[in-house]
Amino acid sequence: MAHQQNPSCSFCGLASSKVEMLISGQKAHICNTCIVQIHEYYLTETGQKAEDEEKNAKVPAPKFHLGTPSEMKKMLDQHIIGQDQAKKILSVAVYNHYKRLMQTPKTTEDDIAIEKSNVILVGETGTGKTLLARTLAKYLQVPFCIADATVVTEAGYVGEDVESILTRLLQAADFKVELAERGIVYIDEIDKIARKSDNPSITRDVSGEGVQQGLLKLLEGSIVNVPPNGGRKHPDQKMIQINTENILFICGGAFDGIERKIAARLNTRPIGFVGGTEQNFGYERKNLLQYATSQDLKNYGLIPELIGRLPILAALEPLDKTALRRILTEPKNAIIKQYNKLLGMENIDLRFTDEALDYI
């Protein structure tokens, strides 16, 4: 039997040149549009469509492995030494955030919407900012990613776009959008995108204030087009839409030199000068970070709009010799325990004396 030169759909009559796909049978053809319509008709007739709609309508409120703030604090104590104040602040913030996600239509009838509780952590390098965020995410069993603010630039410049921060979260959630929209993002080195100076200069501040402006829409909650394979290397990729309204953002930074701004505000003399006025004010010189406020962050170079979207501020204490000694041995994943396990695989029994630990 000779084949038709230009076959057409036996149902709607459209020629093969006018449809995306035409499937041929023995004596008939069917186009992709008719296949979709027949499938819809089949689902309606068999009652499967109604079942699917009913399932989608009854989507339950998400459940998390959420303990009380005191339970979260106890769990953090097992992994991180000290930092009691920061642990309490973070535990309450995370608890409130995930309680907010558990809201049902019944609880929102009074038109009171609970706002996001994004957190900013201020502390020296190595005090455990990233570890706090990672430990909480592991405990809650939600997707978690760490993004570095230093590689992000304004749109149109060499570097990563602000949206690429969410690409990592999407990867951590195995590209399940619903899961990613309930995750935690830790943005590290937030202090490195501070405004360089108040004076407008000839050179553009492409990794400073512009990036802060770009972060605003992410932090407050909006629908963002996220490139699944990262920034600008794949311009033809299909974007994935993510709603950031329920994503918890924790920002961390060392804010090197912010103590001077805090000291100036508290009217004490800068550290290192003899004859300070510490006794007059009763401030702890060694840990001025505990007195950090939003005003100090603004003076450091963060824009007020960004600070407003990070309402919870927690300062981490600097580590002294005692804390460092405890970090070596006490946490669940302490480095001494790691070496014991490593050498235990070789059937070697490793023991440390107190003198050796003090020396380390």
Side-chain angles (χ1 to χ4, degrees), residues 43-114:
L43 289 178
T44 308
E45 284 297 301
T46 55
Q48 287 183 38
K49 191 172 184 181
E51 279 175 32
D52 289 345
E53 283 173 358
E54 200 177 328
K55 275 182 197 169
N56 294 335
K58 290 181 180 174
V59 176
K63 288 184 180 173
F64 307 97
H65 182 238
L66 188 66
T68 61
S70 56
E71 284 170 1
M72 283 194 260
K73 161 84 166 57
K74 277 178 193 166
M75 180 275 305
L76 288 172
D77 285 337
Q78 294 175 352
H79 295 86
I80 299 141
I81 296 298
Q83 311 299 359
D84 279 339
Q85 190 61 21
K87 283 177 191 168
K88 284 174 187 172
I89 292 170
L90 205 53
S91 297
V92 172
V94 168
Y95 179 77
N96 288 344
H97 177 77
Y98 283 98
K99 270 285 184 200
R100 169 179 176 264
L101 299 202
M102 289 177 180
Q103 284 184 110
T104 56
K106 198 180 275 185
T107 59
T108 51
E109 276 172 4
D110 53 7
D111 292 335
I112 297 171
I114 302 167

Side-chain angles (χ1 to χ4, degrees), residues 16 50 66 74 123 128 146 199-201 206 210 234 240-242 248 252 261 266 270 275 277 289 294 334 336 342 344:
S16 60
L66 188 66
K74 277 178 193 166
I146 299 170
N199 305 324
S201 64
V206 297
H234 312 275
I240 295 173
Q241 285 197 330
I242 290 185
L248 179 66
K261 296 182 188 301
L266 296 176
T277 54
L289 278 180
S294 302
I336 297 295
L342 196 62

Side-chain angles (χ1 to χ4, degrees), residues 238-293:
K238 195 178 177 202
M239 298 291 192
I240 295 173
Q241 285 197 330
I242 290 185
N243 186 355
T244 65
E245 200 179 333
N246 295 332
I247 296 173
L248 179 66
F249 288 91
I250 301 173
C251 300
F255 290 90
D256 190 35
I258 199 170
E259 290 95 340
R260 289 192 212 98
K261 296 182 188 301
I262 298 168
R265 183 174 55 79
L266 296 176
N267 206 9
T268 63
R269 292 192 190 178
I271 298 150
F273 284 82
V274 184
T277 54
E278 189 182 349
Q279 288 151 349
N280 304 353
F281 292 92
Y283 298 126
E284 278 181 57
R285 278 283 182 101
K286 289 176 188 170
N287 184 16
L288 281 171
L289 278 180
Q290 66 182 310
Y291 306 113
T293 64

